[in-house]
Amino acid sequence: MSILIIEDEKKLVDIIKIALKGERYSVDEAYDGKVGLDKAMKNNYSLIILDIMLPKKNGFTVCKELREHQIHTPIIILTARGSEGDRIMGLDLGADDYLVKPFGIKELLARIRAILRRRKTTDENIVKYADLVMDKKKHEVTRAGITTPLAPKEYKLLDMLLSNHGEAISRQRLIEHAWGPDFKEKNNELNVHIRYLRKKIDGNKPLIHTIRDVGFILKE
Ligand code: CA
């Protein structure tokens, strides 16, 4: 998850940055509206924190131009001016939420979590990678257009690997996700279920790869 901060008060940027990094978001910053807009157009951020009073281009214009370019990255507006008019204008221009300065950093983090959670339930019902598609609403998995029924544990393991494709997932994380935090492996259950899963979805173009002494990764 990466977050762009567009804000000209360097001190405030630093404070937000430290807090976000503490929550393991990756952070990018811009100190004026022009650079901010440029970065937001070029990169794919999970969320943008946008100040209103900015050099070169104000936050309202940045927000408006992003939406006009069909960039729907969630935006939280920061405004020193708490007037109702400003807040309404921000929301009307397509911002998702606003915070009035001075605000508590914990509140900002909570708002970010809420927005990202909302995004997740709408956008992430369908997860795709290569020719593999998981429809979480239908609880259905297809590879190259062919639907493959999976047992519950296999589905959970695939869900974890697919949602984090390209990332090595530790054995412990996979076990916790599929069996729960208290489960202790007795008969190599994880390998057994990964083997079933590979049989069902890998075919002759394997997507699930073993990373020795670590766990597994889903990639082409
Ligand atoms: Ca400012």
Side-chain angles (χ1 to χ4, degrees):
M1 296 269 194
S2 62
I3 295 180
L4 173 65
I5 310 169
I6 311 176
E7 162 66 78
D8 58 322
E9 275 174 66
K10 183 141 195 318
K11 261 191 190 160
L12 182 57
V13 173
D14 289 344
I15 292 168
I16 298 175
K17 221 160 102 177
I18 290 166
L20 291 177
K21 286 191 170 167
E23 302 288 308
R24 310 179 86 194
Y25 298 109
S26 64
V27 183
D28 200 358
E29 71 246 27
Y31 297 103
D32 70 63
K34 221 164 150 261
V35 173
L37 181 65
D38 202 46
K39 284 192 170 184
M41 301 265 236
K42 277 191 197 137
N43 306 309
N44 193 13
Y45 299 103
S46 314
L47 186 136
I48 298 167
I49 298 169
L50 175 64
D51 186 31
I52 293 300
M53 302 288 276
L54 285 169
K56 293 189 183 162
K57 215 171 242 218
N58 74 42
F60 290 133
T61 314
V62 172
C63 184
K64 188 167 160 262
E65 288 188 24
L66 281 175
R67 297 312 188 226
E68 278 171 2
H69 284 87
Q70 301 301 315
I71 292 170
H72 301 290
T73 312
I75 295 174
I76 297 180
I77 279 182
L78 303 181
T79 172
R81 301 179 293 172
S83 87
E84 199 186 17
D86 268 7
R87 287 177 249 166
I88 291 170
M89 185 164 167
L91 296 173
D92 277 349
L93 289 174
D96 297 78
D97 202 354
Y98 66 87
L99 270 176
V100 178
K101 289 181 191 174
F103 54 84
I105 204 79
K106 278 188 179 161
E107 181 170 10
L108 175 65
L109 293 174
R111 302 273 183 110
I112 291 171
R113 280 195 301 273
I115 288 179
L116 294 178
R117 217 165 29 231
R118 236 160 36 216
R119 273 288 141 131
K120 231 178 185 162
T121 49
T122 49
D123 288 349
E124 291 188 2
N125 282 324
I126 292 180
V127 193
K128 285 184 199 169
Y129 179 74
D131 54 359
L132 183 66
V133 183
M134 178 178 261
D135 185 330
K136 294 190 179 186
K137 243 183 181 165
K138 292 189 195 156
H139 222 265
E140 201 175 80
V141 173
T142 57
R143 174 96 203 256
I146 297 161
T147 304
T148 311
L150 296 183
K153 297 271 186 285
E154 295 159 11
Y155 185 91
K156 281 190 174 166
L157 292 170
L158 183 62
D159 180 16
M160 187 62 148
L161 288 165
L162 182 56
S163 304
N164 301 283
H165 62 80
E167 222 178 277
I169 310 295
S170 70
R171 298 182 57 87
Q172 193 50 41
R173 239 179 114 191
L174 286 163
I175 290 168
E176 276 183 19
H177 185 69
W179 282 272
D182 300 324
F183 183 78
K184 297 263 177 303
E185 260 194 305
K186 287 185 207 86
N187 304 306
N188 224 356
E189 284 88 348
L190 179 62
N191 286 6
V192 170
H193 283 80
I194 290 279
R195 194 159 64 231
Y196 295 153
L197 186 57
R198 277 176 161 154
K199 257 190 197 156
K200 290 182 181 176
I201 65 137
D202 260 356
N204 40 20
K205 271 194 218 155
L207 286 175
I208 300 169
H209 306 273
T210 307
I211 299 181
R212 247 186 104 189
D213 300 328
V214 178
F216 296 92
I217 186 168
L218 190 136
K219 61 172 190 182
E220 273 184 298

